[in-house]
Amino acid sequence: MSVAASMHAKLTDVFEPVHLAVVDESRLHAGHVGARPEGETHFRVEIVATAFDGISRVERQRMVYRVLKDELGDRVHALALRTLSPSENS
Amino acid sequence: MNDNPVFERIQREIDGQPVVLFMKGTPVFPQCGFSAAVVQALTLLGVQFKGVDVLADPQLREGVKAFSDWPTIPQLYVKSEFVGGCDIVREMYENGELRQVFADKGISTQEPAAA
């Protein structure tokens, strides 16, 4: 399974998001520190879930980081995050 | 966790200055686009801050991640309080919250006058 697919699956499992996009932006960072020729190092994740209701921004990102701990520790060099509750997304 | 010797040093850093940014590289020569983005937001607000280069010390680099319970660099601290990483700082800059945080904490901002 690709890194993107595995992140997508884990986030779907834990957060049951109403919207989730895992975008591989590695090509934009080719040649930068942390980039690899095979890609899948730089991601952007947008996630909208009721689990974020009433949770601070910092804590929301911590929740996502915890779920993606394995990916962040190993393959993924950069992860840009946008975490919203459904009411903020309207 | 508290027996990590580098935690004491991190605590001293964040207590020693009102605004401290743990980053890759220095404010003048950031070594990473995400660190550069936070430097830019602080610079645009005219806030004085101390940049701490985590690339200079692997122990610090890993230590600050554990200290903040935050797996990435950069990390912004204001008055010893963790504010966030690049995404959060950027969003707070764009919606005006960041300026409000500095105002609330009595940290002066000197935005360039609109041309």
Side-chain angles (χ1 to χ4, degrees), chain A residues 57-58 61-62 65-66 78 81, chain B residues 68-71 83 87 97:
Chain A
R57 265 194 211 91
V58 165
Q61 294 209 6
R62 281 191 180 125
Y65 285 142
R66 268 178 215 126
L81 273 182
Chain B
S68 310
D69 186 20
W70 197 260
V83 173
D87 301 311
E97 270 179 79

Side-chain angles (χ1 to χ4, degrees), chain A residues 29 33 42 44 57-58 61-62 65-66 72 77-82, chain B residues 24 31 34 68-72 82-84 87-88 91-92 95 97:
Chain A
H29 299 273
V33 180
H42 292 66
R44 170 173 300 278
R57 265 194 211 91
V58 165
Q61 294 209 6
R62 281 191 180 125
Y65 285 142
R66 268 178 215 126
L72 279 167
H77 173 74
L79 177 66
L81 273 182
R82 194 164 157 77
Chain B
K24 294 182 179 175
Q31 300 288 318
F34 301 97
S68 310
D69 186 20
W70 197 260
T72 57
F82 180 61
V83 173
D87 301 311
I88 289 176
E91 186 182 332
M92 290 175 74
N95 69 16
E97 270 179 79

Side-chain angles (χ1 to χ4, degrees), chain A residues 2-85:
Chain A
S2 72
V3 178
S6 128
M7 295 202 302
H8 199 284
K10 286 184 182 178
L11 292 171
T12 302
D13 265 6
V14 173
F15 294 108
E16 298 175 1
V18 296
H19 167 78
L20 173 62
V22 177
V23 183
D24 184 352
E25 296 188 327
S26 306
R27 278 178 48 200
L28 302 174
H29 299 273
H32 292 184
V33 180
R36 298 185 192 197
E38 65 272 32
E40 295 214 284
T41 53
H42 292 66
F43 287 91
R44 170 173 300 278
V45 168
E46 276 180 34
I47 178 166
V48 182
T50 52
F52 297 139
D53 265 343
I55 310 276
S56 75
R57 265 194 211 91
V58 165
E59 204 45 51
R60 288 176 189 187
Q61 294 209 6
R62 281 191 180 125
M63 289 160 74
V64 173
Y65 285 142
R66 268 178 215 126
V67 173
L68 302 179
K69 188 166 170 279
D70 294 340
E71 285 78 5
L72 279 167
D74 179 21
R75 178 66 175 270
V76 175
H77 173 74
L79 177 66
L81 273 182
R82 194 164 157 77
T83 49
L84 298 173
S85 72

